[in-house]
Amino acid sequence: MNATKSDTAETAIEQIHEEGWCVIEGVIPDDKVVTIGEEILDTSRRNSVKNNPKGHTSAPGFINHCQSFTPYITNPQVMDVVDSLLGKYARISFTTATVNESKNDRGVWHSDWPFNANNVGHLIAPYPTEAIFHLTSLWFFTPFNEKNGGTLLRPRSHKLPTNPTQKGEEANSLKSYPDEIQAVGSAGSVLIMNSQLWHARAVNNTDEARIAVAIRFAPWWLNLDLLIPKSEERKQIAIERNLAEKEQSHVTPEVYNQLPKNVKPLYRHWVQSG
């Protein structure tokens, strides 16, 4: 089974509440998505972090390296969903290019920060299953399908009080579930999911890279300081407890000043000072 598109913001919001995910089609125009995708692929390969799993390219803090996709971040359909689920004044917590190269390794089942027990500042299970604390969005710059590694999802797993990264669960599980599906959609679509939803990186069995940018949204009240390199919160929670998370670099003033006016509020907290 595949995860397919949602037609309206209202339908998308309902689907996220019930199933944990939705796909919104046509966010990035057809005449732009290929060119932007090519830039993202080249830039992500040049700025990928080391020690990635085989065939997986990941470039955190990607906003500093590439801004061609930023005019579309505040697409009304996307922001209607974000504002409805997180309230006004949501902020972007992570911006990461994520590319499944050909024949990449499959990923493990997990939930994203702040539910992943391997990450900094995670919530302790069991956690609430009604409130939404964080949203993960994947922006498709190539089609997502079963062949090229469309993200694996477990619908309704956001209603479980734990996830495979927690002790006592099937940590780092590579198993298959009868209810698992794959996210599919055309280039230019956006997958939005409750970050508590169980998901995993799928294998790309084609000869072409599957290109995406992961943009995560947090409510205004969620503490993001522990994601900042060398912050006191990070020093206390990450280093002392030997936990890891890809750092989110400050946004340089030069990059911030070039962002579209309606995108700046989403990144203002990341602007480097001094």
Side-chain angles (χ1 to χ4, degrees), residues 56 58 64 129 147 260 269:
H56 181 58
S58 176
N64 278 326
T129 57
K147 291 184 178 180
H269 55 293

Side-chain angles (χ1 to χ4, degrees), residues 5-174:
K5 69 177 180 179
S6 299
D7 294 322
T8 66
E10 184 177 348
T11 301
I13 292 163
E14 181 179 357
Q15 187 174 340
I16 291 173
H17 277 301
E18 293 302 317
E19 300 290 319
W21 62 270
C22 76
V23 174
I24 301 174
E25 294 271 9
V27 174
I28 301 170
D30 291 342
D31 62 346
K32 300 290 185 182
V33 70
V34 173
T35 301
I36 297 174
E38 290 172 350
E39 180 183 351
I40 289 170
L41 180 61
D42 177 65
T43 307
S44 63
R45 285 172 172 170
R46 286 188 283 108
N47 293 280
S48 182
V49 295
K50 298 179 180 179
N51 302 320
N52 271 324
K54 177 187 173 184
H56 181 58
T57 296
S58 176
F62 195 63
I63 191 71
N64 278 326
H65 307 300
C66 177
Q67 299 85 45
S68 56
F69 59 92
T70 60
Y72 308 102
I73 292 176
T74 52
N75 172 274
Q77 284 184 282
V78 173
M79 292 311 300
D80 281 351
V81 172
V82 172
D83 289 346
S84 295
L85 296 177
L86 298 181
K88 294 289 185 181
Y89 312 113
R91 304 177 294 169
I92 288 175
S93 51
F94 298 83
T95 310
T96 307
T98 175
V99 177
N100 286 1
E101 307 283 0
S102 178
K103 309 303 187 293
N104 63 296
D105 283 347
R106 214 212 85 165
V108 299
W109 290 106
H110 65 283
S111 297
D112 281 345
W113 186 86
F115 303 99
N116 190 322
N118 298 317
N119 293 163
V120 174
H122 64 269
L123 298 174
I124 304 299
Y127 10 81
T129 57
E130 295 300 326
I132 297 178
F133 292 85
H134 202 241
L135 292 173
T136 298
S137 66
L138 280 177
W139 298 63
F140 302 176
F141 289 92
T142 52
F144 269 43
N145 53 54
E146 291 180 333
K147 291 184 178 180
N148 75 351
T151 304
L152 291 163
L153 310 172
R154 284 199 70 196
R156 297 172 294 282
S157 58
H158 66 300
K159 296 184 177 182
L160 299 174
T162 187
N163 72 71
T165 67
Q166 297 283 350
K167 289 183 178 179
E169 298 297 319
E170 298 168 277
N172 298 328
S173 173
L174 289 167

